[in-house]
Amino acid sequence: MTDDTDPEANLKQWKTAMQDEHDEAIANPDPSEDHRIETVTQVTYRVYFEYDAAGDTLEETRREQVEDDDDPELLSCACGVRGMTPEEARQHVRAARDAA
C-alpha cells in the first residue's frame, strides 16, 4: 500500500488552518479574558571577567550595553494569542473593547 498524500499540500493546508485560527483569535477575542498586550525583549551586554588564580574563579569586572532595546516585531496578549504584529495587536485590543 502506498501513501498518495502530498506532504507539501498537507503543510500548506496546515499553515492555512493555523493562520485562519490566528486571524479568528485576533478578530474575535474572548470578552471574559484579560487583554493586555505584552512582549519580551532582550538587550545585549558584553561582560568582562578576570581570572582569580587563588580562588580559581572568574570575577566579573565590567559590563557594557552593546545594543539598544529595539521595538518588538511580534507581540502577545495575556489571553494567549501569540505572534501578533503591532497592527494585529491593536486590532485585537480594539475588538476586545468593542465586545465588552
Side-chain angles (χ1 to χ4, degrees):
M1 198 181 224
T2 62
D3 185 3
D4 293 330
T5 59
D6 177 5
E8 290 297 320
N10 288 342
L11 179 59
K12 185 176 180 180
Q13 182 180 13
W14 176 80
K15 285 182 179 181
T16 300
M18 295 306 295
Q19 185 63 50
D20 291 346
E21 286 180 27
H22 182 72
D23 293 344
E24 175 68 20
I26 290 169
N28 297 304
D30 183 345
S32 66
E33 292 286 337
D34 180 25
H35 297 284
R36 185 181 62 254
I37 301 301
E38 54 195 28
T39 192
V40 174
T41 63
Q42 292 180 306
V43 178
T44 304
Y45 290 89
R46 179 171 286 120
V47 182
Y48 297 88
F49 297 88
E50 287 200 15
Y51 176 68
D52 175 15
D56 192 31
T57 59
L58 293 172
E59 302 294 327
E60 183 178 330
T61 58
R62 187 172 54 141
R63 179 179 294 242
E64 66 183 43
Q65 187 172 330
V66 178
E67 295 177 345
D68 288 331
D69 188 17
D70 292 331
D71 288 337
E73 293 180 22
L74 296 176
L75 304 168
S76 299
C77 182
C79 74
V81 180
R82 306 275 183 249
M84 293 183 285
T85 65
E87 176 52 39
E88 289 172 330
R90 288 190 298 273
Q91 177 187 351
H92 182 70
V93 173
R94 280 192 308 267
R97 289 193 178 162
D98 290 346

